[in-house]
Amino acid sequence: MQIETNVLFFELALTFYFIATISGLIEIFRGKKDTSKVSLYLAVIGFFFHTANIVVRYVEGGHMPVTNMHEATSFLSWSVLILFFFHEFRYKLGLLGSFIMPIVFLLMFSSSIFPREIKALSPALQSYWFGIHVVFAFLGDAAFAMACGIGIMYLLQERNVKSKHLSMLFRKLPSLQVLDEINYHLITLGFPLLTLAMITGVIWANSAWGTYWRWDPKEVWSLITWLIYALVLHLRLTVGWRGKKAAILSIIGFAIVIFAFFGVSIILKGQHIFE
């Protein structure tokens, strides 16, 4: 049986992400001070196939491929990689891929479980606000995913610092100050993107359904996510919750994002869900 081109590209991307994840996890326990770039190169190859998959689905469907759970989850993992590559090449964080690639792979693996058929765009989605809203929403979630990975790195490095015997992992990871600053940078990037996603979302909802807010489960949990990260920024700027507390909050925040992304679409019912 002939395999569709978009499916082949997806499976190749998934395979390279899996190998990159395993390579990255091995790198954490590797007994050398210097870090290898094997995982990064594998991720780049996987990203190439992943991008090809998205382009093919766009051409075949005639619209941005984010209209079902398979496409949306795949696009989210692709967005995470965009930010990962930017921060990797800008900050040279070494082991960053070891903490981000597992997130990317799990998202892609989740995507592989859902039906992959390409469907026509529903009338409600046929608006230029659709693409604008999607870009803001997915890049915002990607920034929060990155902040979660950085938060995990921070907690591990703090544990190393407090240990009497510094491990090789301590020498591979950036300093606590650098990790805290990048965590803050990512949240301050993701929060305005989420805000813009919500603004464009209500404008789009009004043009599609004639009302700005319908208390749809997706809208409610998007608002909850926004309030969580608003609280994170507020506590940092006013109370001084930095370091460990900020790292923990970034992990909790992304857990909320994941529930809003998967839980609302799978468990809760509403108009604003992926099929």
Side-chain angles (χ1 to χ4, degrees), residues 1 35 58 64 92 115 136-137 154 171 187 204 230 250 259 268:
M1 182 175 64
T35 57
Y58 176 83
M64 185 175 290
K92 309 294 183 184
F136 285 144
Y154 185 96
R171 298 176 177 85
I187 292 178
W204 172 26
S250 67
F259 177 78
L268 304 178

Side-chain angles (χ1 to χ4, degrees), residues 77-133:
S77 65
W78 186 83
S79 301
V80 173
L81 276 169
I82 289 287
L83 291 186
F84 162 63
F85 290 139
F86 173 79
H87 286 82
E88 174 64 27
F89 291 118
R90 179 178 179 181
Y91 296 105
K92 309 294 183 184
L93 296 181
L95 283 182
L96 179 60
S98 298
F99 294 87
I100 300 303
M101 286 311 300
I103 296 175
V104 170
F105 171 72
L106 288 174
L107 286 172
M108 279 291 280
F109 181 76
S110 300
S111 175
S112 69
I113 298 174
F114 297 107
R116 306 184 186 187
E117 68 272 17
I118 299 176
K119 296 184 178 180
L121 201 63
S122 65
L125 299 180
Q126 295 175 10
S127 168
Y128 61 87
W129 287 110
F130 171 60
I132 298 172
H133 171 71

Side-chain angles (χ1 to χ4, degrees), residues 153-228:
M153 293 175 72
Y154 185 96
L155 295 179
L156 287 174
Q157 186 67 315
E158 185 196 46
R159 181 180 179 184
N160 280 318
V161 171
K162 291 183 177 180
S163 174
K164 295 182 180 179
H165 303 287
L166 299 180
S167 65
M168 187 61 67
L169 181 60
F170 168 79
R171 298 176 177 85
K172 291 182 179 181
L173 289 174
S175 68
L176 292 176
Q177 180 179 354
V178 169
L179 290 172
D180 184 57
E181 289 176 355
I182 296 176
N183 179 278
Y184 177 62
H185 158 71
L186 286 164
I187 292 178
T188 55
L189 172 64
F191 183 72
L193 286 171
L194 175 61
T195 303
L196 290 171
M198 293 184 66
I199 292 173
T200 55
V202 297
I203 295 174
W204 172 26
N206 185 60
S207 65
W209 293 288
T211 179
Y212 290 103
W213 191 266
R214 297 161 297 144
W215 293 102
D216 187 81
K218 191 75 171 183
E219 295 173 345
V220 172
W221 278 96
S222 294
L223 177 60
I224 292 174
T225 302
W226 187 89
L227 291 172
I228 290 293

